Amino acid sequence: MKDDYKVTFIRGATTASGNSVREIEDAVVELIDELISRNNLIKKNLLSITFTATKDLDACFPASIARKCNQLDSVAFLDCQQMYVSNDVDFCIRIMAQVLLPSNFPVKHPYLRGASKLRPDRC
């Protein structure tokens, strides 16, 4: 690892418009694209991503979409079910990405679509 880079964790979330493979795919691709573009990430500096999904999303694994659609074969992925909390955002996909960023780079956490209300301070 270069001295001017540090391991950084980036959070983010989005919502799918429903529980189909296509709807989840659209949301995941958009979220990963935003994660990469907002933080000027080089794909080789993306180390791992943990996905969580609310219990109403069970049509597919978000990680399999990210791996296939974003050409991220070397990234370690993990899918988990988000803890159930009443009144949570429906069809919500959250991420925690471990990346290498320049030490002085300001992190930009992508909160998109209906998930923007989770962290309005980061939208």
Side-chain angles (χ1 to χ4, degrees):
M1 177 169 52
K2 295 180 179 178
D3 291 337
D4 55 338
Y5 278 72
K6 66 177 183 174
V7 175
T8 305
F9 290 88
I10 303 174
R11 293 296 318 265
T14 192
T15 53
S17 53
N19 184 33
S20 73
V21 172
R22 181 66 186 169
E23 290 165 318
I24 296 169
E25 181 178 282
D26 288 345
V28 169
V29 169
E30 179 185 36
L31 181 58
I32 298 303
D33 286 347
E34 284 294 315
L35 170 75
I36 291 168
S37 68
R38 288 184 187 193
N39 292 285
N40 296 319
L41 284 172
I42 300 166
K43 288 184 181 183
K44 71 177 184 174
N45 288 350
L46 186 50
L47 306 174
S48 70
I49 299 176
T50 300
F51 287 91
T52 66
T54 50
K55 71 178 186 172
D56 51 5
L57 290 174
D58 62 5
C60 64
F61 294 106
S64 66
I65 293 167
R67 186 175 295 111
K68 176 182 68 175
C69 296
N70 297 87
Q71 294 89 36
L72 299 175
D73 292 330
S74 63
V75 177
F77 290 105
L78 177 65
D79 286 304
C80 303
Q81 186 172 352
Q82 179 70 29
M83 184 179 96
Y84 175 74
V85 175
S86 62
N87 299 320
D88 193 8
V89 176
D90 292 333
F91 303 119
C92 190
I93 301 163
R94 293 171 171 90
I95 59 168
M96 183 169 62
Q98 183 181 18
V99 303
L100 290 175
L101 283 179
S103 297
N104 59 352
F105 190 86
V107 175
K108 297 179 181 103
H109 304 272
Y111 283 84
L112 311 176
R113 301 181 185 192
S116 61
K117 71 181 186 178
L118 295 171
R119 292 299 305 261
D121 58 318
R122 292 186 172 172
C123 297

